[in-house]
Amino acid sequence: NNISLIPPEGDICGLRSLEQLTLDNNDLVQFAQWRSLDVLPRLRKLSLKSNRIKRLKVDDLHGADGGGYFEALEDLDLSANDIVSCEQLLVVRLFRALQTLRLSNNPVMLGRSSDSQRLPGGVSIFAQQSKQWYLCGGGCFMRKVKPKEPRLKLNRKMLRRVRSATVGAG
């Protein structure tokens, strides 16, 4: 996909019963590009992985009509974006029902534990660092982890033939 803008509120109002939406790997970089999803009253889970999002910025920090945004959104996945600091996510405080914010594989989470953390307002931040995948030819692969134990080498010159011992009755 290469979606760079969600249609205006009037064009998506037919999706009022939608509860989960995945918009991964698109070009929805700014909050203004997907803010129109706010009209979906039952949207509980929204995934915006790999959209090159750096911050969630809005001109009016009082939210839509002073009440905030996304009245039912509980889980927002912003994994694999370019978020450097939690201060760049101030607008999530205006997401009325938000409980979980996923920030895996963002610069802000590098070096931090995968345990949950909290933003002011009780929103839990989850981050789980995943292993890198690499493209190669017609497929992809995960880089092999180097073993920590030394490799054992077999010296065939030092090997000698051993006869099997038979146990005799005595």
Side-chain angles (χ1 to χ4, degrees), residues 12-101:
I12 60 173
C13 63
L15 303 172
R16 293 207 179 271
S17 61
L18 187 68
E19 293 186 11
Q20 292 186 11
L21 181 59
T22 301
L23 291 169
D24 298 349
N25 302 310
N26 283 295
D27 197 27
L28 299 169
V29 179
Q30 298 178 17
F31 179 56
Q33 293 173 290
W34 52 274
R35 181 174 43 193
S36 62
L37 294 172
D38 183 41
V39 299
L40 304 176
R42 299 177 82 187
L43 185 64
R44 292 182 304 104
K45 186 172 183 176
L46 177 61
S47 180
L48 293 166
K49 294 180 188 176
S50 301
N51 273 287
R52 299 182 302 123
I53 297 170
K54 293 182 180 176
R55 64 185 168 272
L56 297 182
K57 182 182 174 189
V58 58
D59 296 330
D60 178 19
L61 266 181
H62 297 295
D65 303 326
Y69 298 101
F70 296 97
E71 65 186 43
L73 188 66
E74 298 172 358
D75 191 323
L76 177 60
D77 194 343
L78 296 176
S79 299
N81 281 293
D82 297 326
I83 300 166
V84 179
S85 159
C86 286
E87 286 77 36
Q88 295 174 328
L89 302 173
L90 293 177
V91 76
V92 298
R93 295 183 301 173
L94 302 175
F95 292 5
R96 301 170 192 138
L98 190 65
Q99 297 172 5
T100 304
L101 178 62

Side-chain angles (χ1 to χ4, degrees), residues 131-134 140-145:
K131 295 180 181 176
Q132 296 289 329
W133 286 84
Y134 299 90
C140 62
F141 66 96
M142 202 179 324
R143 186 170 282 170
K144 291 182 180 178
V145 177

Side-chain angles (χ1 to χ4, degrees), residues 74-78 86 89 92 97-104 109 114-127:
E74 298 172 358
D75 191 323
L76 177 60
D77 194 343
L78 296 176
C86 286
L89 302 173
V92 298
L98 190 65
Q99 297 172 5
T100 304
L101 178 62
R102 300 182 189 282
L103 293 176
S104 300
M109 300 313 292
S114 62
D115 298 335
S116 71
Q117 300 172 4
R118 290 202 173 276
L119 280 178
V123 176
S124 297
I125 298 175
F126 286 97

